[in-house]
Amino acid sequence: MFSKFFKKQNMMRTVLIAVSPIIIYGIYVFGWRTLALLVFNIIVACTVEYLSEKYMYKKAQITEAAIVTAILFTLTLSPGLPFWMSGVGVAFGIFFGKEVFGGFGKNVFNPAIVGRAFIYINFSTPMLTFNQAANSERLISGLGGFAKWITPVLDHTASPTPLLDLKINGSTVSVLNLFLGNIAGSIGEISTLLIILGGAYMIYKKVASWEIMVSSLIGFVVTSYALILIGVQGDILPPLQGLLVGGFIFGTVFMSTDPISAPKQVQAKWIYGIMIGFTVVIIRGFSLFPGGTMFAILIAEVFAPVIDYIFKEVNRKKRLAKKSTIVKKAVAND
C-alpha cells in the first residue's frame, strides 16, 4: 500500500535520520506547536506533489523527497509562524521549485529554499518574529518546551535573535549557548552541535558532499577575515560568531548539499561552496537582510549547472587525452 503512493528513497531516509534529533530539540526548545507545524507542512507538501504528479505527469506517486523538503522548510521557520503562511510557503516550494521543472531529479533550485524565500519576501514581519527559547530554568521539572504548546513570543523590536542583536546592537551571546542552541531563532537552526552531528552522519552514509560543506566554511571564514583585515566598512561579524549565529551552518549542511541542485563534479563543488560562503558574508555585511544564507544558496544554484558543465568538459578532455596517450604508447611498444 505504501509503495503504491510513495516512492522509496534510501537517501532521503538517511536525511530524515540526520534531522530527527534537531526536530526533537526544536520541540524541547519551543513547544509542541513545532511538531504540529511540521506535520501540517508534510501533509501540504505531499498533497501538492501528489496532485501535480497525477495531473501533470500521470504518475500519481509521492516521493519521500517531498517529506524531506517539508521538514527542512519547517526547520527554517519561526516557531510561531501562522499555519496558513507556512502552508503557502511549502506549497509554493514544491510546485514552483520542483514540479514545474518536471518533478523529482529535475529541479534547478532547492524546493525548501524556494518556499522559504517566497514567504520571507511576502511575510517578512512574521518570519522575523521569534519565540523565547525554553529551558529548565524557565519551565518546571526541566521539561522545557515539552511542557508547552508554544513558548512566549519575544518583542520583535528588541531584536531577539543573536544575529539581529549582533548586527543592530552589537550584543553578544556566549559561544556555548550558540553552539548548544539555548537561544531564540528558527526551529532547526539554533543548535550547531546537532546540525554538525547530522552532517557527519550524512557524510558517513555518503549522501551529502563534504566538499561543499568544507568549501562553504572556507569561503565564509576567508571572506570574513579578509574584509575585517582591510578595514571594509560594513556589518562584518567575527568568523566564529558569524558561523554560529543565523542559519549558515544549517544551510551549508542540509540545503547546499542537495544532490539535485548542487554540482556533481568535484572541482565544481569546491567553487560552488566557496561562492556560497562568500555571498553570505557579503549579504550579511552590506544588505538589509539579517541572514543571507537562503539567498546565497539560490544565487549559487543559478551558476551550478554552468560550473558543473565547464568542469565536466575539462575532465572529459583530460580522460580523452590520457586515453590517447595510452594508445600511442601501446602502438609505439608494438
Side-chain angles (χ1 to χ4, degrees), residues 24-320:
I24 295 171
Y25 187 70
I27 298 171
Y28 168 75
V29 172
F30 297 116
W32 287 102
R33 189 182 189 277
T34 298
L35 180 61
L37 190 66
L38 181 68
V39 172
F40 175 76
N41 286 335
I42 290 175
I43 293 172
V44 172
C46 289
T47 301
V48 172
E49 177 156 300
Y50 176 79
L51 294 175
S52 299
E53 291 288 330
K54 181 177 181 179
Y55 293 106
M56 293 173 62
Y57 307 116
K58 311 301 179 184
K59 293 181 180 179
Q61 197 175 45
I62 303 168
T63 62
E64 292 183 355
I67 298 175
V68 171
T69 294
I71 291 174
L72 295 180
F73 169 80
T74 304
L75 293 177
T76 67
L77 302 179
S78 170
L81 188 74
F83 280 78
W84 73 267
M85 289 185 187
S86 178
V88 168
V90 74
F92 186 92
I94 290 290
F95 187 77
F96 289 101
K98 178 179 178 181
E99 292 303 320
V100 296
F101 291 102
F104 178 76
K106 299 179 181 179
N107 51 287
V108 179
F109 302 101
N110 183 303
I113 298 181
V114 171
R116 189 184 190 279
F118 179 76
I119 60 173
Y120 183 86
I121 293 171
N122 289 281
F123 311 115
S124 57
T125 298
M127 285 290 288
L128 292 174
T129 301
F130 296 95
N131 293 67
Q132 176 178 293
N135 59 33
S136 57
E137 295 177 357
R138 297 191 182 102
L139 298 175
I140 60 172
S141 305
L143 294 176
F146 291 137
K148 287 279 187 176
W149 167 247
I150 184 68
T151 54
V153 176
L154 292 172
D155 181 6
H156 173 63
T157 60
S159 302
T161 69
L163 180 56
L164 287 171
D165 267 342
L166 273 168
K167 190 166 184 178
I168 299 174
N169 302 321
S171 304
T172 60
V173 178
S174 73
V175 172
L176 181 61
N177 279 339
L178 289 173
F179 187 70
L180 296 179
N182 186 26
I183 54 175
S186 298
I187 296 168
E189 298 175 349
I190 56 174
S191 177
T192 303
L193 172 62
L194 293 180
I195 296 169
I196 291 174
L197 291 176
Y201 177 73
M202 292 193 297
I203 291 173
Y204 171 73
K205 299 295 288 186
K206 298 180 179 180
V207 303
S209 169
W210 67 268
E211 294 94 341
I212 292 176
M213 296 184 196
V214 172
S215 58
S216 295
L217 293 175
I218 292 173
F220 185 96
V221 172
V222 171
T223 304
S224 297
Y225 270 126
L227 293 176
I228 291 172
L229 286 174
I230 63 178
V232 172
Q233 297 298 314
D235 296 321
I236 309 300
L237 303 177
L240 180 58
Q241 291 179 327
L243 288 173
L244 295 178
V245 298
F248 177 70
I249 297 296
F250 183 86
T252 296
V253 171
F254 290 105
M255 302 294 200
S256 67
T257 56
D258 178 6
I260 306 303
S261 56
K264 311 300 183 294
Q265 304 298 310
V266 175
Q267 304 98 315
K269 290 179 180 179
W270 285 95
I271 293 179
Y272 174 78
I274 290 173
M275 183 184 297
I276 291 173
F278 168 83
T279 308
V280 170
V281 175
I282 298 302
I283 293 176
R284 283 186 179 182
F286 305 101
S287 77
L288 296 175
F289 301 107
T293 303
M294 167 182 62
F295 293 117
I297 295 175
L298 287 175
I299 291 170
E301 286 176 340
V302 172
F303 294 97
V306 177
I307 302 171
D308 216 27
Y309 175 79
I310 291 173
F311 283 104
K312 184 177 180 181
E313 288 300 301
V314 169
N315 292 334
R316 184 181 66 84
K317 290 178 180 179
K318 286 182 178 179
R319 288 194 300 269
L320 290 175

